[in-house]
């Protein structure tokens, strides 16, 4: 249980709240200082730098092609030693070498093994669907129309006419 209870009258304003009142909260105006940069004399828009270092043409430089110092010496028939010495194959396909196998079956082999006769697999037919008989039987007569079907008949499906409300706005005066 709390043992701190207010004693006496409490109006909601404390001594510190009435004594220490904060500032009004008004915004201080923005102090705009005047600039001290002045242009003296006339200015035509052309500077010394622009006249000294003028704009250059944007033409592409032509590439410099150096002359080589390689000259053929002696006769040259067009066919080198390496070209005549290293002639490739004719391009004909090599015949496929088919080696005969050396696996022979010894003894009598009828085609049926012990494993295949012992372990016969399933025949692969689909299992028939087991249909269980239901145990729900109707007792008594049934006319085909239930109480709920005759009692709760829905609307006949016609569209409801559009209700036009009269205007309640009048120009007075």
């Amino acid at each position: 249980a709390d043992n701190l209870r207010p004693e006496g009258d409490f109006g909601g304003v404390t001594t510190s709240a009435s004594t220490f009142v904060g500032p009004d909260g008004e915004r201080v105006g923005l102090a705009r200082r005047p600039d001290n940069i002045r242009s003296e004399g006339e200015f035509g828009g052309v500077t010394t730098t622009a006249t000294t270092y003028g704009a250059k043409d944007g033409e592409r430089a032509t590439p410099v092609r150096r002359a080589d110092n390689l000259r053929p010496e002696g006769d040259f028939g067009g066919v080198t030693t390496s070209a005549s010495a290293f002639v490739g194959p004719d391009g004909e396909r090599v015949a496929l070498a088919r080696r005969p196998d050396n696996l022979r079956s010894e003894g009598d082999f009828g085609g049926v093994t012990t494993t295949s006769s012992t372990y016969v697999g399933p025949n692969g037919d689909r299992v028939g669907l087991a249909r269980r008989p239901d145990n729900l039987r109707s007792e008594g007569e049934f006319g085909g129309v239930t109480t709920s079907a005759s009692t709760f008949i829905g609307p006949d499906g016609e569209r409801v006419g559009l209700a036009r409300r009269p205007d309640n706005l009048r120009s007075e005066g």
Side-chain angles (χ1 to χ4, degrees):
D2 192 7
N3 60 357
L4 300 175
R5 304 202 193 308
E7 297 177 3
D9 210 11
F10 185 68
V13 178
T14 61
T15 311
S16 60
S18 60
T19 308
F20 305 108
V21 179
D24 291 345
E26 292 180 17
R27 199 161 196 173
V28 179
L30 185 63
R32 181 102 178 155
R33 307 280 186 262
D35 58 353
N36 56 1
I37 300 171
R38 305 268 186 262
S39 58
E40 298 175 358
E42 263 186 52
F43 183 67
V46 179
T47 61
T48 314
T49 310
T51 55
T52 308
Y53 307 104
K56 305 284 189 240
D57 289 341
E59 294 178 12
R60 190 170 216 162
T62 56
V64 179
R65 181 97 178 161
R66 308 273 186 242
D68 59 355
N69 58 358
L70 302 174
R71 304 278 181 262
E73 298 176 359
D75 284 340
F76 184 67
V79 178
T80 62
T81 311
S82 59
S84 59
F86 303 107
V87 177
D90 296 344
E92 296 177 12
R93 257 199 169 169
V94 180
L96 185 62
R98 182 98 181 162
R99 307 279 186 264
D101 61 351
N102 58 357
L103 300 174
R104 306 276 183 262
S105 57
E106 297 177 358
D108 201 15
F109 183 69
V112 178
T113 61
T114 312
T115 309
S116 65
S117 61
T118 308
Y119 304 107
V120 178
N123 58 2
D125 292 336
R126 211 169 244 234
V127 179
L129 184 63
R131 184 101 179 159
R132 307 278 187 263
D134 58 353
N135 58 356
L136 302 173
R137 304 276 182 260
S138 58
E139 298 175 357
E141 286 187 31
F142 183 66
V145 178
T146 61
T147 311
S148 60
S150 59
T151 308
F152 306 108
I153 296 174
D156 53 354
E158 292 181 11
R159 231 180 180 172
V160 180
L162 186 63
R164 177 98 180 158
R165 308 275 187 258
D167 290 339
N168 59 359
L169 300 176
R170 301 200 181 8
S171 59
E172 297 176 3

